[in-house]
Amino acid sequence: MTGLELDGDEFDLALGAYEGMRKTLTSQLNQDAAHLRALEMTDGMFRGFRAAYEAYEEDTRNSVGRMKDGTTIRKDGGRPVWYGGAKKRIGEWPDYRERLEASGLPAAAIESIHRSTEQILDQSANPKAVGDRRKGLVIGYVQSGKTANFTGLISKAVDEGYRIIIVLAGMYTNLRVQTQLRLQKDLGLDTVREGSGVAWHRLTSSNADIGKDISPGFFSNPSNVAVMVVKKHEMRLANVSKFLRSIPEVTLNRRAVMVIDDESDQATPNTLGSKDLVSTINKRVRELWSAVPTGTYVAYTATPFANVFIDPSDDGDLYPEDFISVLAKPEGYMGSELFFDVSQTFDSGDDEMIHRLAHEVPEDEAVTFTPKPKKIDEFDPEMTDSLATAIRWFILATAIRGIRTSKSQDSSMLVHTSQLIRVHERTKEVIAHFISDIALDMDNQEQTFRGVFEAEIHNAAPLRGEEPVPAWDDLWPVAKKVIESVVVKIDNGASDDRLIYDSSMPQTVIAVGGGTLSRGLTLEGLVVSYFLRSSNTYDTLLQMGRWFGFRPHYADLVRVWMGPGLLDEYGHLATVEKQLRDEVAVMEQEKRTPSDFAVKVKSHPGRLEITSKNKMDAAKLARAGLGGTRRQTIYLDRSATGRGSGYAASRELVQKALDQGLPMLTRGAHANRRFPSLMFRGMGNADVVDFLRSYWVAPTDRWLQPDGMKSWLERHGADTEWNLVLVSGSSNGERTHEYADGVTVGTSRRTPLKSKYWSQDRLGSDLPPHADIVNIRALMSGDDYFLDLRILADNGELEEHDIKHLDEIDKRSAPSVKNARSKVRPQEGTILLYAIDGKSTPVDDSGTRTKMGAEGPLIGLGVVFPHAEAEDPDEYWSVDLEDRDPDQESTSQSDDEGDYDPEKGS
């Protein structure tokens, strides 16, 4: 701070006095008058406070603008800055922060909530400016604490003058109830506090949703705050709109509304696919928002695919036109980036963490619990080996966690095999019977349990940290006590025994269900997931990843049993999710606005849709913003014919470079190798396209097909010059490959995935005759993305400022690399050729890789596209949608709750 006449301790004391007086005065005066009066009174008590406070506010406002916790793209327009930062001493945010600290949440996590909500509120509507309305999107992670984040946002918004809080809590009653209870507890809605300055008025309860006829009379006092947690049900949303319209206009104008749309990609987007045909829930949410004269609509989701395909030109819809914010990954969060190689670089290692804790359920066992709807009457399942092993591990892991923490905690297992209610009922019966059999036969169970323990305990050891592993003789008595406490519950739309956690009564529960368990609901202490049900869409499949989340003291114990093929699909989705977050970061660097935002989402040919077809009406198909990006061939044909084709195509390309007399440069950092990496400069677009006509690329990558490349270059890269890099591995001359006379490199080690970890089916049927396709998962290393630029630097062809850009690159960050390439030789693209050793073998401890087993080298291809300044921001990947029925949940828009009367309670 600058210009303070008070020292730090005096200012803190004065600030507390000011905030306390402002809270008290808010019930008597409007926000502005309360501020001025409190400022005047405090300045009388602490001389110099007014000047010090003004400097403090300016400093805080600037620090909010500088915060970089997560990434935010926002609307241009020079809107005035209104938010001066969170209250420090007295207010809803200080109270909430105190509760977070008391809960044991790590300080780093609390600070992350603080920093991200500062950014979000800074982009929200000014509650003191009548008519200010803003719409935004917040992208979190599955099971990552989004509720804690929007609770922090609510507390800060109320401190700034928001007086109506509406939380739209998904489509299911159990999720609404869970959110209601969380807010009551975390915001202290039922606690009377002296001098707080705010009086909460709950319009919903844990037992009842919003009612029809609620009097708005309590708004006569400006310190009163209405809060409601509402299910996305037609009648309930209509009740909210009716309540808003019942408030006198002069009052409502001064009662800013904060709408938090949790799981906003579900139900809220228009599912009828047309401006003229608006789905029921979308229509009701639109009506609700249209009734808000001053306020902010904030959509929260971990799977925003449907949100970003809302038509931005439809002013009446809910496209996040003012800001899009990506929350930073919380410390200690176990998400897709931990389990999968989302960067797809060779130097990430052979094995992905997911293979240490995931098991694929055999097809013959999977069909036991996944009957066809037409054969549901014949459904009569029996316990399978994989489900029995999963249950036994759940019991053991729960016991190990209890020994580690020395306290009783909620522990959960998820069983999600079908959306059909009859399947849930019969599956519960099978599991409950199995648990009873174990409990009645404990004397004969020890060896079977011990076998599971020994098979599983060290699988995910890298995630264990310093946590102890108990000796079997210490573990088995505890495990037997756990068996006694296991309960099996069904949680679906028809269940009368829903899953509700009570911190005062920890439970060990196996939860069997469908859509309710795959959407938003937090499964406390989730240790084991057993799910077989697949989905055709990215968003639904990602939401099924309940095994993502925080796992303190038991990260190494988490296990997941998946149906056939699901692991491959999750690996694909992990890269999609990373790409989406990277895209926001790039757009922020390029100063783009939300109206420019359209995610480049990778397709999964023949299998996955991005989101349901009826939510993609505004999407454009099959055009990708490729400028500055990297692509690589991970599917290679190791047959003799395939290898021969690669030799011929690469030899012809290198010979063209030699015939044209292009300069050949070497990598200085590889000078100690017998064969360093080589580079030819100055190849043309026609050379590249001709090469692709001879070189086989899997049909899944349309932009490395000759016609796709030619089309893109005509539109965005007509003047491109290409650097041809012949990447040399570190074989030190033991194995080499010769592209042309005198042009030799060392081979590179790459090994394929074992056949059980991927399916050739995803490539479609248009494969070369007699092809022998392998999946190497990653071809390029992180440094290869800018290898050509390093070679230029080694040969003195880059300026000092260009070298500085290279030195600042974070090779783990695609936005960082892309940004650097846009500044250093932006009109140059790169072709990288790799000679992959046909005798490549996995590292000794690899569990997922096998020998390459080819008679000679295989030629791999990497491409770095030139920067494309004029590339349209609305070009992005989509999919060619097939005409098939989407995977439907067995839920309907039923409403099983009563109305809540705030005057009488529930």
Side-chain angles (χ1 to χ4, degrees):
M1 289 178 291
T2 58
L4 288 181
E5 297 179 10
L6 304 175
D7 64 30
D9 290 341
E10 289 175 328
F11 180 76
D12 284 345
L13 185 63
L15 184 62
Y18 158 79
E19 290 181 354
M21 281 187 278
R22 180 173 173 178
K23 280 287 186 183
T24 302
L25 291 167
T26 298
S27 62
Q28 307 164 22
L29 305 167
N30 64 40
Q31 290 284 312
D32 291 337
H35 161 67
L36 293 174
R37 179 63 178 145
L39 200 62
E40 178 184 340
M41 293 170 65
T42 309
D43 194 59
M45 297 166 58
F46 299 89
R47 190 169 300 280
F49 175 74
R50 179 188 289 270
Y53 181 81
E54 289 173 353
Y56 160 80
E57 258 205 331
E58 180 64 23
D59 189 64
T60 303
R61 188 178 295 114
N62 290 338
S63 70
V64 170
R66 292 192 300 267
M67 280 186 174
K68 285 291 292 178
D69 200 276
T71 306
T72 303
I73 56 175
R74 61 205 70 186
K75 188 175 184 178
D76 286 337
R79 60 185 288 259
V81 175
W82 68 271
Y83 182 51
K87 298 294 181 284
K88 303 292 184 184
R89 300 282 297 275
I90 299 176
E92 299 308 312
W93 165 250
D95 287 353
Y96 177 54
R97 183 164 193 156
E98 198 172 287
R99 292 187 188 96
L100 291 177
E101 291 167 350
S103 72
L105 193 67
I110 297 173
E111 184 62 18
S112 179
I113 292 172
H114 167 55
R115 291 167 66 87
S116 59
T117 51
E118 290 289 86
Q119 282 189 318
I120 297 166
L121 190 57
D122 184 52
Q123 296 304 308
S124 298
N126 181 354
K128 307 178 191 71
V130 175
D132 195 6
R133 301 170 84 243
R134 307 252 157 212
K135 292 182 291 185
L137 170 66
V138 178
I139 304 171
Y141 292 79
V142 173
Q143 296 285 281
S144 67
K146 295 188 299 297
T147 304
N149 190 278
F150 69 65
T151 303
L153 178 63
I154 290 170
S155 67
K156 290 181 178 181
V158 170
D159 281 341
E160 295 303 314
Y162 279 82
R163 289 297 177 259
I164 301 175
I165 306 299
I166 302 167
V167 179
L168 307 181
M171 296 178 64
Y172 302 110
T173 296
N174 59 348
L175 178 56
R176 194 205 72 79
V177 171
Q178 186 179 73
T179 305
Q180 176 81 41
L181 292 172
R182 277 284 301 275
L183 286 181
Q184 287 179 203
K185 174 176 173 286
D186 292 348
L187 289 176
L189 299 186
D190 300 323
T191 303
V192 178
R193 289 162 291 166
E194 292 294 330
S196 68
V198 165
W200 294 100
H201 279 249
R202 285 198 292 110
L203 303 187
T204 57
S205 75
S206 61
N207 298 319
D209 208 329
I210 186 82
K212 297 178 182 178
D213 300 304
I214 300 174
S215 170
F218 59 87
F219 278 132
S220 60
N221 187 327
S223 67
N224 289 347
V225 179
V227 59
M228 63 199 83
V229 182
V230 181
K231 185 166 58 179
K232 290 184 191 175
H233 180 273
E234 179 185 12
M235 181 184 74
R236 300 302 177 182
L237 294 171
N239 288 347
V240 177
S241 298
K242 181 179 180 182
F243 167 69
L244 292 174
R245 290 193 165 90
S246 72
I247 303 170
E249 182 178 357
V250 67
T251 301
L252 184 59
N253 284 339
R254 291 289 181 181
R255 301 295 184 270
V257 180
M258 174 73 74
V259 181
I260 303 290
D261 190 347
D262 193 17
E263 302 295 332
S264 60
D265 61 302
Q266 187 188 36
T268 297
N270 182 17
T271 57
L272 295 184
S274 169
K275 293 181 185 179
D276 300 323
L277 296 171
V278 180
S279 61
T280 302
I281 299 302
N282 179 256
K283 177 182 179 181
R284 292 302 186 199
V285 178
R286 288 191 194 202
E287 289 174 351
L288 187 162
W289 176 239
S290 70
V292 175
T294 306
T296 306
Y297 169 85
V298 188
Y300 272 79
T301 183
T303 52
F305 306 112
N307 301 76
V308 298
F309 290 135
I310 295 173
D311 187 353
S313 68
D314 186 352
D315 293 335
D317 213 335
L318 298 163
Y319 186 84
E321 62 186 26
D322 294 293
F323 63 91
I324 299 173
S325 182
V326 174
L327 299 180
K329 184 175 66 177
E331 185 175 337
Y333 175 72
M334 296 173 63
S336 58
E337 291 185 44
L338 173 67
F339 301 121
F340 297 96
D341 177 18
V342 294
S343 63
Q344 287 191 280
T345 57
F346 167 70
D347 38 13
S348 297
D350 277 6
D351 291 344
E352 296 171 284
M353 183 59 69
I354 185 63
H355 298 297
R356 292 179 175 270
L357 49 81
H359 300 279
E360 184 167 290
V361 177
E363 180 71 41
D364 62 323
E365 294 190 20
V367 299
T368 300
F369 289 100
T370 54
K372 301 296 183 183
K374 293 181 179 179
K375 295 187 176 181
I376 190 64
D377 292 337
E378 303 171 18
F379 180 58
D380 188 22
E382 295 180 352
M383 179 59 61
T384 60
D385 290 343
S386 59
L387 182 54
T389 299
I391 293 171
R392 286 190 171 99
W393 176 250
F394 168 61
I395 291 166
L396 291 169
T398 300
I400 295 170
R401 182 184 176 209
I403 291 172
R404 288 176 177 178
T405 61
S406 300
K407 60 182 179 181
S408 179
Q409 296 171 285
D410 288 312
S411 186
S412 303
M413 175 177 174
L414 162 67
V415 178
H416 180 35
T417 66
S418 169
Q419 76 274 31
L420 302 175
I421 291 174
R422 173 69 185 278
V423 174
H424 303 160
E425 294 169 347
R426 292 291 293 117
T427 302
K428 176 189 174 180
E429 292 171 6
V430 170
I431 294 173
H433 184 71
F434 178 72
I435 296 293
S436 296
D437 284 349
I438 291 176
L440 296 173
D441 189 36
M442 292 303 298
D443 292 341
N444 298 313
Q445 290 291 323
E446 182 173 0
Q447 289 309 309
T448 306
F449 271 87
R450 186 166 188 168
V452 173
F453 172 75
E454 292 174 350
E456 291 290 337
I457 188 60
H458 297 303
N459 280 358
L463 298 177
R464 182 177 297 150
E466 301 299 319
E467 298 294 340
V469 175
W472 176 254
D473 289 343
D474 296 326
L475 175 60
W476 180 236
V478 180
K480 289 193 288 186
K481 296 296 291 183
V482 170
I483 293 172
E484 297 173 3
S485 65
V486 174
V487 295
V488 186
K489 289 193 174 185
I490 293 177
D491 199 296
N492 57 32
S495 173
D496 57 3
D497 185 23
R498 306 300 282 268
L499 187 59
I500 297 178
Y501 294 95
D502 183 343
S503 59
S504 65
M505 298 178 62
Q507 56 186 316
T508 303
V509 60
I510 299 176
V512 181
T516 60
L517 295 182
S518 65
R519 257 296 173 177
L521 185 72
T522 298
L523 296 168
E524 300 292 347
L526 181 64
V527 184
V528 172
S529 297
Y530 187 94
F531 66 94
L532 307 178
R533 182 195 164 205
S534 184
S535 170
N536 288 335
T537 63
Y538 289 5
D539 39 18
T540 301
L541 195 60
L542 267 179
Q543 287 289 347
M544 289 179 187
R546 303 284 96 190
W547 39 281
F548 297 142
F550 300 95
R551 304 291 180 254
H553 305 297
Y554 64 109
D556 61 314
L557 307 179
V558 172
R559 295 291 185 275
V560 55
W561 275 259
M562 295 187 190
L566 279 175
L567 199 59
D568 186 37
E569 292 177 1
Y570 269 106
H572 171 77
L573 286 178
T575 63
V576 171
E577 190 178 26
K578 176 69 160 51
Q579 181 188 43
L580 185 149
R581 297 171 200 282
D582 285 348
E583 187 66 16
V584 178
V586 168
M587 293 194 72
E588 185 196 40
Q589 291 175 352
E590 296 176 353
K591 307 302 181 186
R592 299 282 183 87
T593 70
S595 62
D596 300 325
F597 184 73
V599 183
K600 295 194 287 285
V601 181
K602 296 168 67 176
S603 65
H604 195 320
R607 177 63 188 93
L608 293 176
E609 298 169 0
I610 293 171
T611 186
S612 59
K613 289 181 283 188
N614 49 18
K615 295 179 183 178
M616 290 187 65
D617 183 56
K620 297 180 177 66
L621 296 179
R623 288 163 58 181
L626 297 174
T629 64
R630 173 196 70 187
R631 304 189 88 81
Q632 58 185 324
T633 53
I634 65 172
Y635 303 109
L636 303 174
D637 184 356
R638 68 180 171 187
S639 69
T641 303
R643 287 184 289 107
S645 174
Y647 299 155
S650 58
R651 188 181 302 117
E652 181 181 359
L653 182 62
V654 172
Q655 192 61 52
K656 279 186 178 181
L658 293 171
D659 293 344
Q660 294 172 30
L662 301 180
M664 184 172 71
L665 307 176
T666 62
R667 175 72 165 117
H670 294 170
N672 62 330
R673 298 181 184 176
R674 181 181 172 191
F675 298 103
S677 293
L678 306 172
M679 184 173 86
F680 295 93
R681 296 196 63 203
M683 304 207 77
N685 287 344
D687 298 325
V688 173
V689 174
D690 287 345
F691 166 73
L692 292 175
R693 294 197 188 283
S694 304
Y695 179 86
W696 180 80
V697 177
T700 51
D701 197 333
R702 71 190 72 185
W703 299 108
L704 290 187
Q705 305 299 328
D707 290 341
M709 175 67 80
K710 183 174 183 290
S711 171
W712 187 87
L713 289 173
E714 288 173 348
R715 288 168 55 82
H716 301 297
D719 299 323
T720 298
E721 288 192 356
W722 291 88
N723 300 319
L724 171 60
V725 178
L726 308 178
V727 181
S728 188
S730 56
S731 57
N732 293 321
E734 292 180 13
R735 296 190 182 93
T736 61
H737 178 72
E738 187 176 73
Y739 286 101
D741 291 342
V743 183
T744 301
V745 297
T747 57
S748 301
R749 183 187 71 86
R750 300 292 188 271
T751 54
L753 288 170
K754 294 176 180 177
S755 58
K756 70 177 183 178
Y757 292 113
W758 79 286
S759 171
Q760 187 172 297
D761 293 344
R762 69 180 293 181
L763 302 182
S765 58
D766 188 19
L767 300 177
H770 312 297
D772 182 12
I773 308 299
V774 294
N775 178 359
I776 62 172
R777 187 75 175 118
L779 173 71
M780 299 174 68
S781 71
D783 292 331
D784 294 347
Y785 202 160
F786 44 92
L787 179 56
D788 61 325
L789 302 182
R790 288 295 186 194
I791 292 176
L792 291 176
D794 288 350
N795 288 270
E797 298 199 20
L798 288 187
E799 301 293 337
E800 284 297 322
H801 64 275
D802 290 333
I803 295 175
K804 181 180 178 183
H805 287 314
L806 290 184
D807 291 340
E808 293 174 349
I809 288 176
D810 177 2
K811 68 180 183 180
R812 298 167 300 178
S813 166
S816 174
V817 179
K818 184 176 179 181
N819 183 55
R821 289 202 67 100
S822 72
K823 296 175 180 176
V824 182
R825 306 297 174 96
Q827 299 307 311
E828 295 183 13
T830 314
I831 295 293
L832 301 101
L833 298 181
Y834 298 75
I836 299 170
D837 193 343
K839 298 185 183 299
S840 295
T841 57
V843 295
D844 291 341
D845 61 348
S846 175
T848 64
R849 303 290 178 133
T850 187
K851 296 177 181 179
M852 180 60 76
E855 294 300 318
L858 294 77
I859 303 301
L861 168 67
V863 176
V864 180
F865 285 82
H867 180 66
E869 189 68 44
E871 191 167 19
D872 296 338
D874 64 346
E875 291 186 324
Y876 54 86
W877 271 109
S878 187
V879 292
D880 294 317
L881 299 176
E882 299 176 12
D883 186 17
R884 59 173 179 260
D885 293 332
D887 189 7
Q888 297 292 333
E889 295 279 1
S890 63
T891 56
S892 60
Q893 268 291 296
S894 62
D895 184 56
D896 53 1
E897 294 188 87
D899 294 354
Y900 180 66
D901 186 337
E903 300 298 321
K904 299 178 181 178
S906 59

Short mmCIF file of all heavy atoms in Angstrom, two decimals, residues 314-338:
data_model
loop_
_atom_site.label_atom_id
_atom_site.label_comp_id
_atom_site.label_asym_id
_atom_site.label_seq_id
_atom_site.Cartn_x
_atom_site.Cartn_y
_atom_site.Cartn_z
N ASP A 314 -27.72 -16.06 -30.30
CA ASP A 314 -29.07 -16.09 -29.75
C ASP A 314 -29.05 -15.36 -28.40
O ASP A 314 -28.69 -15.92 -27.37
CB ASP A 314 -29.53 -17.54 -29.57
CG ASP A 314 -30.99 -17.63 -29.12
OD1 ASP A 314 -31.59 -16.57 -28.81
OD2 ASP A 314 -31.52 -18.75 -29.08
N ASP A 315 -29.43 -14.10 -28.41
CA ASP A 315 -29.35 -13.27 -27.20
C ASP A 315 -30.20 -13.82 -26.06
O ASP A 315 -29.92 -13.57 -24.89
CB ASP A 315 -29.79 -11.83 -27.51
CG ASP A 315 -28.80 -11.12 -28.43
OD1 ASP A 315 -27.62 -11.52 -28.43
OD2 ASP A 315 -29.22 -10.20 -29.14
N GLY A 316 -31.25 -14.55 -26.41
CA GLY A 316 -32.12 -15.06 -25.37
C GLY A 316 -31.60 -16.30 -24.68
O GLY A 316 -32.14 -16.73 -23.65
N ASP A 317 -30.55 -16.92 -25.25
CA ASP A 317 -30.03 -18.16 -24.66
C ASP A 317 -28.94 -17.83 -23.64
O ASP A 317 -28.71 -16.67 -23.30
CB ASP A 317 -29.52 -19.08 -25.76
CG ASP A 317 -29.71 -20.56 -25.41
OD1 ASP A 317 -29.78 -20.87 -24.22
OD2 ASP A 317 -29.80 -21.39 -26.34
N LEU A 318 -28.24 -18.86 -23.19
CA LEU A 318 -27.37 -18.70 -22.02
C LEU A 318 -25.89 -18.90 -22.36
O LEU A 318 -25.11 -19.35 -21.52
CB LEU A 318 -27.81 -19.71 -20.95
CG LEU A 318 -29.24 -19.48 -20.45
CD1 LEU A 318 -29.77 -20.71 -19.73
CD2 LEU A 318 -29.32 -18.26 -19.55
N TYR A 319 -25.50 -18.55 -23.59
CA TYR A 319 -24.09 -18.61 -23.93
C TYR A 319 -23.31 -17.69 -23.00
O TYR A 319 -23.73 -16.56 -22.72
CB TYR A 319 -23.86 -18.19 -25.38
CG TYR A 319 -22.43 -18.39 -25.83
CD1 TYR A 319 -22.00 -19.63 -26.29
CD2 TYR A 319 -21.51 -17.35 -25.76
CE1 TYR A 319 -20.69 -19.82 -26.69
CE2 TYR A 319 -20.20 -17.54 -26.15
CZ TYR A 319 -19.79 -18.78 -26.61
OH TYR A 319 -18.48 -18.97 -26.99
N PRO A 320 -22.14 -18.14 -22.49
CA PRO A 320 -21.39 -17.33 -21.51
C PRO A 320 -20.64 -16.18 -22.17
O PRO A 320 -19.41 -16.18 -22.29
CB PRO A 320 -20.42 -18.36 -20.91
CG PRO A 320 -20.19 -19.35 -22.00
CD PRO A 320 -21.52 -19.46 -22.71
N GLU A 321 -21.37 -15.17 -22.59
CA GLU A 321 -20.80 -14.13 -23.45
C GLU A 321 -19.85 -13.17 -22.75
O GLU A 321 -19.06 -12.47 -23.39
CB GLU A 321 -21.92 -13.33 -24.11
CG GLU A 321 -22.80 -12.58 -23.11
CD GLU A 321 -23.99 -11.90 -23.80
OE1 GLU A 321 -24.40 -12.38 -24.86
OE2 GLU A 321 -24.49 -10.92 -23.24
N ASP A 322 -19.88 -13.12 -21.40
CA ASP A 322 -19.07 -12.13 -20.69
C ASP A 322 -17.74 -12.68 -20.18
O ASP A 322 -16.76 -11.96 -20.14
CB ASP A 322 -19.87 -11.53 -19.53
CG ASP A 322 -21.05 -10.72 -20.03
OD1 ASP A 322 -20.81 -9.68 -20.66
OD2 ASP A 322 -22.19 -11.15 -19.83
N PHE A 323 -17.72 -13.93 -19.75
CA PHE A 323 -16.44 -14.49 -19.31
C PHE A 323 -16.51 -16.01 -19.28
O PHE A 323 -17.58 -16.60 -19.10
CB PHE A 323 -16.01 -13.95 -17.94
CG PHE A 323 -16.93 -14.31 -16.80
CD1 PHE A 323 -16.74 -15.46 -16.05
CD2 PHE A 323 -18.00 -13.48 -16.46
CE1 PHE A 323 -17.58 -15.79 -15.00
CE2 PHE A 323 -18.84 -13.79 -15.41
CZ PHE A 323 -18.64 -14.95 -14.67
N ILE A 324 -15.36 -16.63 -19.49
CA ILE A 324 -15.19 -18.07 -19.33
C ILE A 324 -13.94 -18.27 -18.49
O ILE A 324 -12.87 -17.78 -18.83
CB ILE A 324 -15.04 -18.79 -20.67
CG1 ILE A 324 -16.31 -18.59 -21.53
CG2 ILE A 324 -14.76 -20.27 -20.48
CD1 ILE A 324 -16.19 -19.12 -22.94
N SER A 325 -14.08 -18.96 -17.39
CA SER A 325 -12.98 -19.13 -16.44
C SER A 325 -12.71 -20.61 -16.22
O SER A 325 -13.63 -21.40 -16.04
CB SER A 325 -13.33 -18.46 -15.10
OG SER A 325 -12.25 -18.57 -14.19
N VAL A 326 -11.44 -20.98 -16.27
CA VAL A 326 -11.02 -22.35 -15.99
C VAL A 326 -10.36 -22.37 -14.62
O VAL A 326 -9.37 -21.67 -14.39
CB VAL A 326 -10.04 -22.88 -17.05
CG1 VAL A 326 -9.50 -24.24 -16.65
CG2 VAL A 326 -10.72 -22.96 -18.40
N LEU A 327 -10.91 -23.14 -13.70
CA LEU A 327 -10.33 -23.23 -12.37
C LEU A 327 -9.00 -23.99 -12.44
O LEU A 327 -8.84 -24.94 -13.21
CB LEU A 327 -11.28 -23.96 -11.42
CG LEU A 327 -12.65 -23.32 -11.20
CD1 LEU A 327 -13.47 -24.18 -10.24
CD2 LEU A 327 -12.52 -21.90 -10.67
N ALA A 328 -8.06 -23.57 -11.62
CA ALA A 328 -6.80 -24.30 -11.53
C ALA A 328 -7.04 -25.66 -10.89
O ALA A 328 -7.95 -25.82 -10.07
CB ALA A 328 -5.79 -23.49 -10.70
N LYS A 329 -6.24 -26.63 -11.28
CA LYS A 329 -6.36 -27.95 -10.67
C LYS A 329 -5.96 -27.85 -9.21
O LYS A 329 -4.86 -27.41 -8.89
CB LYS A 329 -5.46 -28.95 -11.40
CG LYS A 329 -5.60 -30.37 -10.87
CD LYS A 329 -4.80 -31.35 -11.69
CE LYS A 329 -3.31 -31.08 -11.54
NZ LYS A 329 -2.48 -32.07 -12.26
N PRO A 330 -6.84 -28.24 -8.29
CA PRO A 330 -6.53 -28.12 -6.86
C PRO A 330 -5.38 -29.03 -6.44
O PRO A 330 -5.17 -30.10 -7.02
CB PRO A 330 -7.84 -28.54 -6.17
CG PRO A 330 -8.88 -28.51 -7.23
CD PRO A 330 -8.18 -28.79 -8.52
N GLU A 331 -4.64 -28.58 -5.45
CA GLU A 331 -3.56 -29.40 -4.92
C GLU A 331 -4.13 -30.68 -4.31
O GLU A 331 -5.12 -30.65 -3.60
CB GLU A 331 -2.79 -28.61 -3.85
CG GLU A 331 -1.57 -29.33 -3.30
CD GLU A 331 -0.79 -28.47 -2.33
OE1 GLU A 331 -0.91 -27.23 -2.40
OE2 GLU A 331 -0.05 -29.03 -1.51
N GLY A 332 -3.51 -31.79 -4.62
CA GLY A 332 -3.96 -33.08 -4.09
C GLY A 332 -5.07 -33.73 -4.88
O GLY A 332 -5.54 -34.81 -4.51
N TYR A 333 -5.48 -33.10 -6.00
CA TYR A 333 -6.57 -33.65 -6.81
C TYR A 333 -6.05 -34.73 -7.73
O TYR A 333 -5.02 -34.57 -8.39
CB TYR A 333 -7.22 -32.53 -7.63
CG TYR A 333 -8.29 -33.02 -8.59
CD1 TYR A 333 -9.52 -33.44 -8.12
CD2 TYR A 333 -8.06 -33.05 -9.96
CE1 TYR A 333 -10.50 -33.88 -9.00
CE2 TYR A 333 -9.03 -33.48 -10.84
CZ TYR A 333 -10.25 -33.90 -10.35
OH TYR A 333 -11.22 -34.34 -11.22
N MET A 334 -6.74 -35.86 -7.75
CA MET A 334 -6.40 -36.96 -8.64
C MET A 334 -7.34 -36.92 -9.84
O MET A 334 -8.50 -37.30 -9.74
CB MET A 334 -6.52 -38.30 -7.90
CG MET A 334 -5.56 -38.45 -6.74
SD MET A 334 -5.89 -39.96 -5.77
CE MET A 334 -5.59 -41.24 -7.02
N GLY A 335 -6.83 -36.43 -10.94
CA GLY A 335 -7.67 -36.31 -12.13
C GLY A 335 -7.05 -36.99 -13.33
O GLY A 335 -6.08 -37.74 -13.23
N SER A 336 -7.61 -36.71 -14.49
CA SER A 336 -7.21 -37.41 -15.70
C SER A 336 -5.73 -37.19 -16.03
O SER A 336 -5.07 -38.08 -16.57
CB SER A 336 -8.08 -36.97 -16.88
OG SER A 336 -7.99 -35.57 -17.08
N GLU A 337 -5.20 -36.01 -15.69
CA GLU A 337 -3.80 -35.73 -16.02
C GLU A 337 -2.85 -36.58 -15.20
O GLU A 337 -1.70 -36.79 -15.60
CB GLU A 337 -3.50 -34.25 -15.83
CG GLU A 337 -4.19 -33.36 -16.85
CD GLU A 337 -3.78 -31.91 -16.72
OE1 GLU A 337 -2.58 -31.64 -16.57
OE2 GLU A 337 -4.68 -31.04 -16.76
N LEU A 338 -3.28 -37.03 -14.02
CA LEU A 338 -2.45 -37.91 -13.21
C LEU A 338 -2.41 -39.31 -13.80
O LEU A 338 -1.36 -39.97 -13.82
CB LEU A 338 -2.98 -37.96 -11.78
CG LEU A 338 -2.30 -38.98 -10.85
CD1 LEU A 338 -0.85 -38.60 -10.60
CD2 LEU A 338 -3.06 -39.09 -9.53
#
